């Protein structure tokens, strides 16, 4: 099965992509992973992408999509794949379609912005590497690491204002992608649950229905 999995930052799409990969025996791939593989392999498109990256620029869509297409046509993806968070724009989705990349379903993990802000802004970390969550995995003493006694802090990416900006960008870029696949009858929506295993079960059922 050839799948795309989508979801806002903090919706848990990466976790679900890994679960699908393990269950179905197909690779779960992000754009970053595919680009790194192309760079490592020294492909023509990979080397072209490298020139942009070394110059500090963005790799153009046509090169990224070409690299993705090469990888999806490789033996590793012969039994299927899960694309994690790609395509990121309607233009990328249309380009994949023009290149003849077959997509069986686009799975969207839906979680409200309010819940995502609560999930991400509740994270706390320590310099020792320990991580906590104010709701799901709180420390024994508020603001203090259980392991080393140091003060916990919130990462800049997890601050509510930063999370909201990331969500605005996601909605602006991704809603046209979701509409693109909805019009083609490929969109499958699953409501993200508080427990990861509950979301995983809903995803499993949704994909079983598609497989027939």
């Amino acid at each position: 099965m050839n799948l795309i999995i989508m979801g806002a930052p903090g919706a848990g799409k990466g976790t679900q992509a890994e679960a699908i990969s393990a269950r179905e025996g197909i690779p779960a791939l992000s754009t970053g992973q595919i680009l790194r593989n192309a760079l490592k392999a020294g492909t023509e498109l990979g080397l072209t992408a490298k020139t942009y990256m070394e110059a500090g620029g963005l790799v153009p869509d046509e090169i990224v999509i070409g690299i993705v297409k090469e990888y999806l046509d490789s033996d590793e993806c012969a039994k299927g794949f899960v694309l994690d968070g790609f395509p990121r724009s309607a233009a990328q989705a249309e380009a994949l379609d023009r290149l003849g990349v077959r997509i069986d379903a686009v799975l969207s993990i839906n979680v409200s912005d309010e819940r995502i802000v609560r999930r991400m802004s509740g994270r706390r970390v320590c310099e020792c590497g320990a991580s906590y969550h104010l709701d799901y995995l709180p420390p024994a003493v508020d603001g203090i690491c259980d392991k080393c006694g140091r003060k916990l802090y919130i990462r800049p990416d997890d601050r509510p204002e930063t999370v909201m900006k990331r969500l605005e960008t996601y909605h602006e870029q991704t809603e046209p992608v979701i509409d693109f696949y909805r019009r083609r009858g490929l969109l499958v929506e699953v409501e993200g649950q508080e427990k990861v295993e509950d979301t995983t079960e809903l995803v499993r059922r949704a994909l079983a229905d598609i497989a027939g």
Side-chain angles (χ1 to χ4, degrees), residues 190-193 197-207:
V190 169
E191 291 300 316
Q193 305 297 304
E197 56 269 29
D198 291 342
T199 304
T200 302
E201 178 58 19
L202 290 177
V203 168
R204 186 194 66 76
R205 291 179 191 172
L207 295 181

Side-chain angles (χ1 to χ4, degrees), residues 125-200:
V125 294
C126 178
E127 290 178 7
C128 75
S131 59
Y132 302 86
H133 194 283
L134 299 183
D135 294 328
Y136 309 121
L137 187 64
V141 178
D142 187 35
I144 301 298
C145 179
D146 294 349
K147 295 182 178 180
C148 70
R150 291 176 181 158
K151 190 174 181 179
L152 301 176
Y153 64 93
I154 182 170
R155 294 179 302 187
D157 281 355
D158 290 337
R159 295 187 182 280
E161 60 272 21
T162 305
V163 175
M164 286 302 300
K165 287 180 181 176
R166 291 175 66 192
L167 287 170
E168 286 172 13
T169 300
Y170 171 79
H171 290 308
E172 181 181 327
Q173 292 180 348
T174 309
E175 284 178 2
V177 181
I178 289 174
D179 288 341
F180 177 88
Y181 288 116
R182 181 182 284 116
R183 290 195 299 270
R184 282 158 176 74
L186 295 174
L187 187 69
V188 178
E189 300 183 85
V190 169
E191 291 300 316
Q193 305 297 304
E194 287 300 317
K195 292 183 178 180
V196 172
E197 56 269 29
D198 291 342
T199 304
T200 302

Side-chain angles (χ1 to χ4, degrees), residues 46-110:
L47 293 173
T48 303
K50 186 179 181 180
T51 62
Y52 286 94
M53 295 164 73
E54 288 180 341
L58 292 173
V59 181
D61 266 3
E62 61 268 23
I63 295 173
V64 173
I65 292 163
I67 290 172
V68 170
K69 175 70 163 57
E70 276 186 348
Y71 200 78
L72 298 184
D73 286 342
S74 70
D75 290 342
E76 186 174 346
C77 299
K79 294 182 180 179
F81 54 80
V82 185
L83 277 177
D84 180 356
F86 183 88
R88 294 180 181 273
S89 68
Q92 289 181 344
E94 289 165 0
L96 273 183
D97 196 46
R98 285 196 303 272
L99 287 171
V101 175
R102 178 177 60 83
I103 301 298
D104 296 310
V106 177
L107 182 68
S108 178
I109 308 295
N110 297 337

